Amino acid sequence: MSSTRILILGTLLDGPLHGYEVRRRLELWGASQWANVAFGSIYHGLAKMAEEGLLTVVEQGKGGKTVYELTADGRLEFQRRLLTSWWEVQPIVDPFQVALTFMNRLAPADLVVAMEARAEQLRAAISMTERAIGGKQAFGAPRHVDECLRLNAAQLTAQLAWVSEAIGRVKDGELP
Amino acid sequence: MSSTRILILGTLLDGPLHGYEVRRRLELWGASQWANVAFGSIYHGLAKMAEEGLLTVVEQGKGGKTVYELTADGRLEFQRRLLTSWWEVQPIVDPFQVALTFMNRLAPADLVVAMEARAEQLRAAISMTERAIGGKQAFGAPRHVDECLRLNAAQLTAQLAWVSEAIGRVKDGELP
DNA sequence: ACGTGATCATTCAAATTTGTATATAAATTT
DNA sequence: AAATTTATATACAAATTTGAATGATCACGT
């Protein structure tokens, strides 16, 4: 289950918007980091949900601009999806798991070099994320988007801890 | 960038396989948790990569069974993708970020209830993951797949830490 | 008023993913 | 040994995602 739909519905809660603006809000919330919200997906999602009655077209635009608004059904659908987001623990998808899966396919020496480089990059990513905390309110983002950053930083820190520990074990020949 | 292709290539490293068996191996490695490896994706990926010369059809089957083998190009492509997996830090995609993004759309009381339930589920998921460590070698999985489980447990623990701390802040009215 | 680069806004074909339907072989029950 | 269930194996239509292409509009110096 992808998150495109709930994200689109969520941007429309406070009033009608057109596709480009939907995308801009999501960008501001950092959603482009962890969701499929390329323009194509947005426009497709909007058109599809309008077809299904979750949205209505408010202003079919002169010049082509199309503005969408939530219907009552759309609001219900948002609430439904929001509740399942909170109640159902869904797997974390981390592309680094792929690297791990095939760690035995890299020569140990290369592996150690890659791991050390990754540890360095992770430290940079973590401090960058932490510095970003608090910086988005200026552009109209609600305060709690910082929590997304905090959680992300915590998960990157967990990855860093794994890498740091594993470097030693690879050097000792315990891994892979 | 999805991980379907590298996963398929990786299963074929040690010898030709047909689609169903590719899927079985991935399942064993736990990849179905964090990647798009439904049968449809596998068969499509196999056919596409064969078309592109990364694979060849070894045994066009009586009864329909089609066995694929890596070509030299396919091996190179795997190595290329493996290196980028290790060297490029890519964002962690956690569906829970969606829930966080919209935490202000739930009544605080409901929010606290959902968070407490989630903390409970996370504790269960973590201990289940930890118990699974070491259990897959019996079925032929290489030892280092345990590392995927360890990393996953660490990331879930990070999420649990966030939730536990945030419950207090919601009760105090600091969030959202 | 005129070009020109940046931002705004959408469309579209191609690639991928999902989910279900289908078909056959193997094991199990009756 | 026929019937039924389970596991193996693939195919396919529908939905979604990607990424590039296309225009329109706006700011700004000349």
Side-chain angles (χ1 to χ4, degrees), chain A residues 14-158:
Chain A
D14 297 324
L17 298 173
H18 54 77
Y20 194 79
E21 183 61 23
V22 168
R23 169 62 216 247
R24 291 259 312 263
R25 304 271 173 113
L26 293 177
E27 175 74 20
L28 176 63
W29 299 346
S32 50
Q33 289 289 303
W34 42 262
N36 304 318
V37 288
F39 283 111
S41 306
I42 304 285
Y43 286 105
H44 175 262
L46 287 168
K48 208 72 213 307
M49 291 195 288
E51 204 175 274
E52 291 168 13
L54 304 177
L55 309 176
T56 46
V57 174
V58 165
E59 187 186 324
Q60 181 53 280
K62 46 230 167 175
K65 199 148 92 174
T66 312
V67 176
Y68 293 88
E69 182 172 30
L70 275 181
T71 63
D73 272 6
R75 250 166 234 284
L76 280 177
E77 176 69 5
F78 173 81
Q79 283 296 323
R80 204 185 55 69
R81 284 181 184 263
L82 180 56
L83 282 176
T84 58
S85 286
W86 275 96
W87 283 87
E88 281 173 27
V89 174
Q90 234 133 20
I92 295 165
V93 173
D94 183 354
F96 182 51
Q97 295 267 4
V98 174
L100 276 192
T101 302
F102 296 120
M103 74 184 295
N104 58 336
R105 304 293 178 165
L106 227 45
D110 292 347
L111 189 55
V112 169
V113 175
M115 289 170 106
E116 280 165 349
R118 175 164 277 259
E120 204 45 61
Q121 285 183 67
L122 285 170
R123 276 187 277 267
I126 291 163
S127 78
M128 193 168 305
T129 304
E130 281 169 348
R131 266 200 304 279
I133 291 172
K136 293 195 167 181
Q137 279 79 355
F139 301 102
R143 194 158 46 92
H144 68 275
V145 296
D146 282 351
E147 299 306 321
C148 293
L149 295 172
R150 268 192 250 278
L151 177 59
N152 206 241
Q155 283 171 340
L156 290 172
T157 302

Side-chain angles (χ1 to χ4, degrees), chain B residues 106-145:
Chain B
L106 227 46
D110 292 349
L111 189 54
V112 169
V113 175
M115 288 171 107
E116 280 165 348
R118 175 164 278 258
E120 204 44 60
Q121 285 184 67
L122 284 170
R123 277 186 274 268
I126 291 164
S127 79
M128 194 170 301
T129 305
E130 281 168 349
R131 265 199 305 279
I133 291 173
K136 292 196 168 182
Q137 279 79 355
F139 302 101
R143 193 159 45 93
H144 67 277
V145 295

Side-chain angles (χ1 to χ4, degrees), chain B residues 2 4-5 36-41 44 48:
Chain B
S2 113
T4 310
R5 277 166 175 248
N36 305 317
V37 288
F39 284 111
S41 305
H44 174 262
K48 207 74 212 306

